[in-house]
Amino acid sequence: MGVRLMVVDDHRLLAEALASALKLRGHRVLAAAAPSAGAADLVVSRAPEVCLLGTAAPAEPGAFDPVVRIKRERPQVAVVVLGPVPSPLGIAAAFAAGASGYVRHNERIEGVERAMMKARAGEAAVEPQLLQGAFAELLNPAAQPDDEGARLLQLLTPREVEVLVRVAEGEDTRLIAAGMGIAPSTARTHVQRVLMKLGVGSRLEAAALAARTGLLDRAAGGRTPSVPAPAVARGAVGRQGP
């Protein structure tokens, strides 16, 4: 028995082509339309058994708002999403919105038809390969690039962060002490701790590491050094040790 359905896709020509192919296979297509403000209204008013909802960007905010609206007002309508191979979160978002299935845009017509039939029967319609890929990515997420600047910044106390910024701006121990209202010996101790925590042997190395990893931008809250780079280098070279 054929399925009473609607086809909604980002591209009207694709929607009409899919609708034509399904008609030839004995299904009753009520309408084929491109998503718009009125697409959900059309589905709600016609109340098909199944709605094939195409989207080119399942990760975009609001991509599945039409699904939410349809399921709220016509909970008996089974929605099957047609889209690119999504991230696990893309599949999760589709089902969280109320979709009954997710099928790749390049799936053969037989696969789309099977998904429609399963969705109408109240079953989840997702091909095993998509689920396997989603679970694999969730269980073994791709390694994120190491944010060395953030990692190093966590090693420093707020006072040491301020010291690092001043070191990078070329201030010597006397200026650091005066600017922070502390004794020169205390400023020197702070500098030593900063160098030790960063694993460097000089102020110049500390300034270079901070700049290379983005640590300086984070530490200064986006504030750029108040002296030119050559001055920073000269100030740092002038005192290689703490």
Side-chain angles (χ1 to χ4, degrees), residues 191 194-196 198-206 239-242:
V191 173
V194 169
L195 300 186
M196 179 184 67
L198 296 183
V200 296
S202 70
R203 300 182 184 214
L204 178 58
E205 290 179 84
R239 284 203 39 117
Q240 289 293 309

Side-chain angles (χ1 to χ4, degrees), residues 139-232:
L139 293 173
N140 302 287
Q144 296 297 316
D146 180 32
D147 190 341
E148 187 178 3
R151 179 174 56 82
L152 292 175
L153 190 59
Q154 291 178 350
L155 301 176
L156 306 177
T157 66
R159 180 56 63 91
E160 290 166 350
V161 168
E162 183 178 354
V163 168
L164 174 62
V165 173
R166 291 178 178 277
V167 166
E169 290 183 341
E171 294 186 6
D172 59 18
T173 301
R174 178 181 56 80
L175 288 175
I176 293 174
M180 297 179 65
I182 57 179
S185 59
T186 303
R188 188 173 297 107
T189 297
H190 283 314
V191 173
Q192 290 172 336
R193 287 177 178 169
V194 169
L195 300 186
M196 179 184 67
K197 289 183 177 182
L198 296 183
V200 296
S202 70
R203 300 182 184 214
L204 178 58
E205 290 179 84
L209 177 64
R212 176 176 59 81
T213 62
L215 190 158
L216 183 58
D217 290 336
R218 294 171 182 268
R223 175 167 60 94
T224 55
S226 58
V227 294
V232 173

Side-chain angles (χ1 to χ4, degrees), residues 72 220-221:
R72 182 177 66 245

Side-chain angles (χ1 to χ4, degrees), residues 1 8-9 12 60 66 79 83 88 90 92 95 134 140 149 196 208 213 234:
M1 181 179 175
V8 179
D9 198 282
R12 183 175 297 276
E60 288 294 319
V79 180
F95 278 91
N140 302 287
M196 179 184 67
T213 62
R234 287 197 299 271

Side-chain angles (χ1 to χ4, degrees), residues 13-230:
L13 288 178
L14 293 179
E16 293 175 349
L18 180 57
S20 296
L22 291 170
K23 283 180 181 179
L24 291 175
R25 299 179 74 87
H27 300 288
R28 182 184 174 193
V29 180
L30 302 181
S36 65
D41 290 333
L42 188 59
V43 174
V44 169
S45 66
R46 302 297 295 272
E49 294 177 295
V50 176
C51 171
L52 296 178
L53 177 70
T55 177
E60 288 294 319
F64 300 119
D65 285 352
V67 181
V68 175
R69 164 89 189 284
I70 292 167
K71 297 302 293 184
R72 182 177 66 245
E73 300 190 27
R74 293 287 187 179
Q76 74 276 17
V77 176
V79 180
V80 176
V81 174
L82 303 175
V85 176
S87 68
L89 291 180
I91 292 180
F95 278 91
S100 299
Y102 194 106
V103 179
R104 291 179 299 180
H105 256 149
N106 61 351
E107 180 60 74
R108 297 174 63 89
I109 191 66
E110 294 84 359
V112 175
E113 191 173 37
R114 283 195 300 269
M116 287 165 36
M117 303 298 286
K118 292 183 68 174
R120 185 177 67 171
E123 302 176 36
V126 185
E127 63 177 279
Q129 293 87 344
L130 274 182
L131 281 181
Q132 290 170 1
F135 286 136
E137 187 173 334
L138 288 172
L139 293 173
N140 302 287
Q144 296 297 316
D146 180 32
D147 190 341
E148 187 178 3
R151 179 174 56 82
L152 292 175
L153 190 59
Q154 291 178 350
L155 301 176
L156 306 177
T157 66
R159 180 56 63 91
E160 290 166 350
V161 168
E162 183 178 354
V163 168
L164 174 62
V165 173
R166 291 178 178 277
V167 166
E169 290 183 341
E171 294 186 6
D172 59 18
T173 301
R174 178 181 56 80
L175 288 175
I176 293 174
M180 297 179 65
I182 57 179
S185 59
T186 303
R188 188 173 297 107
T189 297
H190 283 314
V191 173
Q192 290 172 336
R193 287 177 178 169
V194 169
L195 300 186
M196 179 184 67
K197 289 183 177 182
L198 296 183
V200 296
S202 70
R203 300 182 184 214
L204 178 58
E205 290 179 84
L209 177 64
R212 176 176 59 81
T213 62
L215 190 158
L216 183 58
D217 290 336
R218 294 171 182 268
R223 175 167 60 94
T224 55
S226 58
V227 294

